[in-house]
């Protein structure tokens, strides 16, 4: 594990690599955005269709979840099939949680705990069983971003057990418990680096960043009254404002070679059951990325 700017990339392909990255190599950064992060899937499918395998992936929050599954060897199409089956039926998802959750069902919603769910237990139930157990088992090197709650700094995982790192990266306060690793109390990495394209810049010739933060309230109908958000929606919306603001400021000083922003503003952070609609709304990024990568690769020659 490394923190701050002292990033050591995991995987043999990048160890000790001080020369320029290979010509035409791609570094992929998948950002945080909760359910909006399902829009990462058409991006992965585009890479598969082009026959391009990223040299390195960096992920924050749901970007680390989807990045971890992809780096484990599943294709974009396989990930699409998996999430469609997972979120197609509320009753099936609830049944899966109830039958696999350790201890009593009431522990799922214990008000005496720091947050609603223990993220590692939750993700071990929901993520594919074939997912790698450690960073070293991944087919593609991965960098996972979390935030240290007390030191208020970025923490980057590149080796060791995979699930604790992804759980820390995705631990959105008030919904998921913070995760303790090596004495650090860690929360969602979006609070320090929502779309971590800076972490793959030195490891690949072409940097692709996928920003799925969107706008907190969505843009369904600007003429329609939005109404007063409940406490949970207000908190999640405030977190999305923070992520969006961090990215906007970050882009003023640096930007990826290709920045992909799916048109998913009309969907909330917890709209996982709208998976079909989110994937449909994000579909244009498939051809957008193909065109952009084609132009970059042609320019390289």
């Amino acid at each position: 594990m490394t923190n701050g700017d002292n990033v050591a990339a995991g995987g043999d392909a990048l160890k000790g690599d001080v020369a320029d990255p290979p010509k035409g190599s791609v570094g992929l950064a998948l950002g945080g955005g909760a359910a909006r992060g399902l829009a990462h899937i058409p991006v992965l499918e585009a890479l598969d269709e082009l026959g391009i395998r990223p040299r390195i992936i960096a992920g924050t929050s749901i970007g680390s979840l989807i990045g971890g599954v992809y780096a484990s060897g599943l294709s974009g199409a396989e990930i699409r099939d998996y999430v469609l089956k997972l979120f197609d039926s509320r009753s099936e998802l609830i049944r899966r949680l109830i039958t696999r959750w350790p201890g009593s069902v009431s522990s799922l919603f214990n008000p005496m705990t720091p947050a609603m769910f223990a993220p590692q237990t939750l993700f071990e139930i929901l993520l594919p069983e074939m997912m790698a157990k450690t960073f070293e088992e991944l087919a593609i090197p991965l960098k996972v971003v979390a935030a240290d709650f007390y030191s208020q700094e970025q923490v980057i995982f590149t080796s060791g057990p995979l699930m604790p790192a992804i759980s820390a990266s995705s631990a959105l306060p008030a919904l998921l418990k913070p995760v303790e690793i090596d004495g650090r109390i860690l929360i969602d990495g979006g609070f320090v680096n929502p779309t971590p394209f800076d972490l793959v810049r030195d490891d690949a010739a072409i940097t692709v960043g996928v920003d799925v933060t969107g706008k907190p309230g969505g843009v369904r109908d600007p003429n329609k009254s939005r109404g007063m958000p409940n406490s949970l929606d207000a908190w999640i919306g405030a977190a999305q404002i923070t992520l969006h603001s961090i990215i906007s400021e970050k882009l003023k000083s640096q930007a990826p070679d290709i920045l992909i922003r799916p048109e998913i503003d009309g969907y909330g952070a917890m709209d996982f059951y709208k998976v079909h609609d989110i994937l449909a709304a994000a579909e244009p990024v498939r051809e957008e990325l193909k065109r952009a990568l084609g132009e970059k690769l042609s320019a390289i020659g």
Side-chain angles (χ1 to χ4, degrees):
M1 181 186 77
T2 60
N3 65 310
D5 296 327
N6 302 315
V7 180
D12 292 339
L14 300 180
K15 287 180 180 177
D17 192 354
V18 296
D20 290 336
K23 185 177 180 181
S25 59
V26 172
L28 178 65
L30 302 177
R36 292 169 177 163
L38 297 171
H40 288 314
I41 293 172
V43 171
L44 304 180
E45 291 173 321
L47 293 172
D48 291 341
E49 289 164 10
L50 290 170
I52 294 175
R53 172 174 161 170
R55 188 168 189 253
I56 179 107
I57 299 173
T60 296
S61 199
I62 193 169
S64 73
L65 286 162
I66 292 180
V69 175
Y70 190 64
S72 292
L74 275 75
S75 68
E78 288 171 332
I79 296 173
R80 175 186 288 262
D81 289 343
Y82 188 86
V83 300
L84 286 174
K85 292 175 183 176
L86 185 63
F87 295 116
D88 257 349
S89 170
R90 289 176 185 262
S91 59
E92 172 57 26
L93 181 58
I94 292 171
R95 183 201 65 77
R96 186 169 180 171
L97 286 170
I98 289 175
T99 57
R100 299 187 186 183
W101 194 267
S104 66
V105 175
S106 62
S107 66
L108 283 167
F109 303 97
N110 186 348
M112 301 305 293
T113 57
M116 191 177 295
F117 296 109
Q120 184 165 340
T121 304
L122 179 66
F123 297 145
E124 285 173 349
I125 292 172
L126 297 183
L127 291 174
E129 292 181 2
M130 63 188 304
M131 189 167 174
K133 299 297 187 282
T134 68
F135 283 85
E136 289 75 15
E137 296 173 17
L138 294 171
I140 301 171
L142 177 68
K143 297 180 180 181
V144 171
V145 180
D148 187 311
F149 181 78
Y150 288 107
S151 68
Q152 301 179 15
E153 65 181 353
Q154 175 174 257
V155 178
I156 303 165
F157 293 91
T158 60
S159 62
L162 182 62
M163 194 62 71
I166 288 176
S167 299
S169 180
S170 307
L172 182 64
L175 287 177
L176 298 172
K177 295 180 184 179
V179 175
E180 182 175 359
I181 300 177
D182 295 338
R184 291 178 179 261
I185 304 301
L186 305 172
I187 62 172
D188 194 296
F191 290 104
V192 288
N193 200 343
T195 305
F197 49 80
D198 54 307
L199 301 187
V200 299
R201 182 182 303 279
D202 294 336
D203 298 314
I206 301 171
T207 304
V208 178
V210 188
D211 174 13
V212 292
T213 56
K215 296 182 177 65
V219 290
R220 294 179 180 86
D221 184 351
N223 298 314
K224 184 177 180 181
S225 176
R226 302 287 176 88
M228 186 67 68
N230 61 37
S231 58
L232 180 59
D233 287 341
W235 159 240
I236 293 175
Q240 292 297 112
I241 291 171
T242 301
L243 269 61
H244 193 74
S245 298
I246 292 171
I247 293 171
S248 295
E249 289 302 312
K250 187 177 171 183
L251 288 170
K252 292 178 182 179
S253 59
Q254 58 180 315
D257 298 305
I258 299 172
L259 179 61
I260 300 294
R261 282 177 156 162
E263 294 290 336
I264 36 78
D265 286 347
Y267 301 95
M270 293 294 105
D271 281 343
F272 286 98
Y273 288 110
K274 296 181 181 178
V275 56
H276 288 276
D277 296 331
I278 293 173
L279 289 173
E283 186 59 27
V285 304
R286 186 195 300 258
E287 295 305 320
E288 177 187 347
L289 179 57
K290 285 182 179 180
R291 287 193 299 271
L293 274 174
E295 292 171 0
K296 291 291 182 183
L297 292 170
S298 294
I300 291 173

